[in-house]
């Protein structure tokens, strides 16, 4: 009986091994196809930068926009950035794509600014882009070509990058900082950022991860954590942006805690440039300047 059980276990183990191999093969094939498609995406005009407003929750006026990449795949439809950016990083395609996002978004925001909207621009960058040659010179060129002052640009990095705590990363970020651009830590709270990292790296803004904002009014832990982040940011003179604000209650809770800058579906989803132009035109409150980090 024991032998039979052993035999059955072996059989099913063998079947499982076989199953996993087939699944893995299928996955590898899919990845290769997607990789080939991604190589063509830029040239074939399938990539588009969307823009999501960053608002003052208090005055309900727009302060800036975050550039968010979209891939319109001809057969699969829209592919979310979380699905293809890791691939773009692995393959190195993020180098070319990231430069294109920066140039495109700078040109678009320069246009909106010329129309009387003094918006700032937030662009996501990843550590991989450092290895692929994105540096202060590229950023300076993108700004100059569009006549944008450096303080208009904010670069968003993730906590993981600071965790590595490398000299190369530090120099890279200091290069941007020396130009006068702002640096934000994206998805703050999900990693392991500590006060020491905040001191060591030249960041000036924290973007509270939407996971915490989502639970803000239902989970005491999330509420306390957001409160702690807000008071820490205030004492370190860091600007704060709350991500993923979806309800009036969340907006109110944040305002009660003196967190003013917000981004989320409550105000506006990420939109193509033309749609955001329409949205701007429909705004009741006129344009206003970004408050300093100490505000
Ligand atoms: P992120 O930088 O944290 O961007 C915020 C994400 O939250 C966006 O997802 C946005 O659509 C979503 N979001 C905004 N408001 C709300 C809300 O109220 N509720 C909910 N549920 N979600 C909200 P998206 O556009 O799918 O982007 C995902 C991530 O992909 C970004 O997270 C960013 O890390 C990355 N990404 C996007 N564009 C680029 C890019 O050009 N370069 C790089 N390196 N990464 C990018
Ligand atoms: Mg971001
Ligand atoms: Mg985020
Ligand atoms: Mg993110």
């Amino acid at each position: 009986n024991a032998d039979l059980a052993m035999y059955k276990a072996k059989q099913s183990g063998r079947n499982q091994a076989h199953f996993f191999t087939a699944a893995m093969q299928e996955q590898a094939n899919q990845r290769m196809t997607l990789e080939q498609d991604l190589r063509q995406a830029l040239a074939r005009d399938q990539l588009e930068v969307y823009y999501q407003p960053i608002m003052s929750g208090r005055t309900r006026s727009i302060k800036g926009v975050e550039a968010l990449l979209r891939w319109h795949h001809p057969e699969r439809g829209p592919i979310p950035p979380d699905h293809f950016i890791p691939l773009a990083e692995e393959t190195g395609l993020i180098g070319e794509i990231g430069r294109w996002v920066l140039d495109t978004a700078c040109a678009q925001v320069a246009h909106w600014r010329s129309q009387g909207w003094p918006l700032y621009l937030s662009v996501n960058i990843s550590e991989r882009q450092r290895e692929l040659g994105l540096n202060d010179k590229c950023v300076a060129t993108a700004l100059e070509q569009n006549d944008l002052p450096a303080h208009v640009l904010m670069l968003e990095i993730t906590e993981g990058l600071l965790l590595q705590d490398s000299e190369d990363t530090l120099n890279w970020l200091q290069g941007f900082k020396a130009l006068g651009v702002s640096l934000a830590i994206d998805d703050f709270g999900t990693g392991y950022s500590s006060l020491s990292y905040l001191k060591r790296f030249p960041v000036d803004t924290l973007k509270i991860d939407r996971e915490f904002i989502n639970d803000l009014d239902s989970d005491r832990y999330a509420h306390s954590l957001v409160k702690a982040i807000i008071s820490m940011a205030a004492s370190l003179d860091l600007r704060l942006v709350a991500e993923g604000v979806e309800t009036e209650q969340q907006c109110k809770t944040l305002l009660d805690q003196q967190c003013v800058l917000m981004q989320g579906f409550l105000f506006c989803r990420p939109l193509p440039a033309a749609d955001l132009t329409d949205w701007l035109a429909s705004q009741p409150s006129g344009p206003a300047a970004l408050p300093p980090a100490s505000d």
Side-chain angles (χ1 to χ4, degrees), residues 7-73:
Y7 173 77
K8 277 189 170 163
K10 268 191 186 156
Q11 279 298 94
S12 85
R14 212 171 284 146
N15 285 339
Q16 232 166 43
H18 182 75
F19 170 77
F20 280 127
T21 314
M24 277 157 69
Q25 184 60 49
E26 174 59 21
Q27 220 176 24
N29 289 346
Q30 272 185 18
R31 206 198 99 111
M32 254 166 60
T33 312
L34 202 64
E35 183 181 325
Q36 279 157 8
D37 291 350
L38 188 57
R39 282 186 197 285
Q40 314 286 341
L42 201 53
R44 293 188 179 162
D45 235 20
Q46 294 164 3
L47 298 182
E48 186 176 10
V49 181
Y50 277 37
Y51 301 88
Q52 185 178 35
I54 297 164
M55 309 286 293
S56 160
R58 186 162 287 141
T59 62
R60 300 291 172 120
S61 58
I62 183 169
K63 302 296 178 186
V65 290
E66 177 172 5
L68 294 163
L69 188 57
R70 296 290 180 265
W71 181 10
H72 307 290
H73 193 283

Side-chain angles (χ1 to χ4, degrees), residues 50-194:
Y50 277 37
Y51 301 88
Q52 185 178 35
I54 297 164
M55 309 286 293
S56 160
R58 186 162 287 141
T59 62
R60 300 291 172 120
S61 58
I62 183 169
K63 302 296 178 186
V65 290
E66 177 172 5
L68 294 163
L69 188 57
R70 296 290 180 265
W71 181 10
H72 307 290
H73 193 283
E75 286 112 38
R76 297 181 194 211
I79 301 183
D82 288 334
H83 289 199
F84 72 85
I85 282 171
L87 182 65
E89 288 176 346
E90 281 167 45
T91 54
L93 289 167
I94 194 67
E96 194 189 344
I97 292 173
R99 273 193 299 276
W100 176 81
V101 170
L102 182 67
D103 291 340
T104 305
C106 281
Q108 183 58 56
V109 164
H111 176 73
W112 280 323
R113 288 172 66 86
S114 76
Q115 307 288 299
W117 296 94
L119 304 177
Y120 84 89
L121 166 66
S122 224
V123 174
N124 297 282
I125 58 170
S126 63
E127 168 78 353
R128 192 75 176 94
Q129 288 173 264
R130 178 181 64 73
E131 297 159 355
L132 294 163
L134 177 77
N135 57 26
D136 48 356
K137 285 195 197 72
C138 307
V139 171
T141 305
L143 291 168
E144 272 160 31
Q145 279 177 346
N146 294 288
D147 262 326
L148 286 176
H151 68 83
V152 163
L153 183 65
M154 180 180 291
L155 297 173
E156 299 190 9
I157 53 174
T158 53
E159 279 176 296
L161 201 149
L162 305 188
L163 256 185
Q164 300 168 7
D165 202 13
S166 83
E167 208 63 37
D168 288 341
T169 304
L170 181 61
N171 292 335
W172 189 51
L173 298 180
Q174 276 169 344
F176 296 134
K177 195 69 192 179
L179 287 179
V181 309
S182 302
L183 292 175
I185 302 185
D186 205 352
D187 304 341
F188 186 80
T190 54
Y192 306 90
S193 276
S194 68

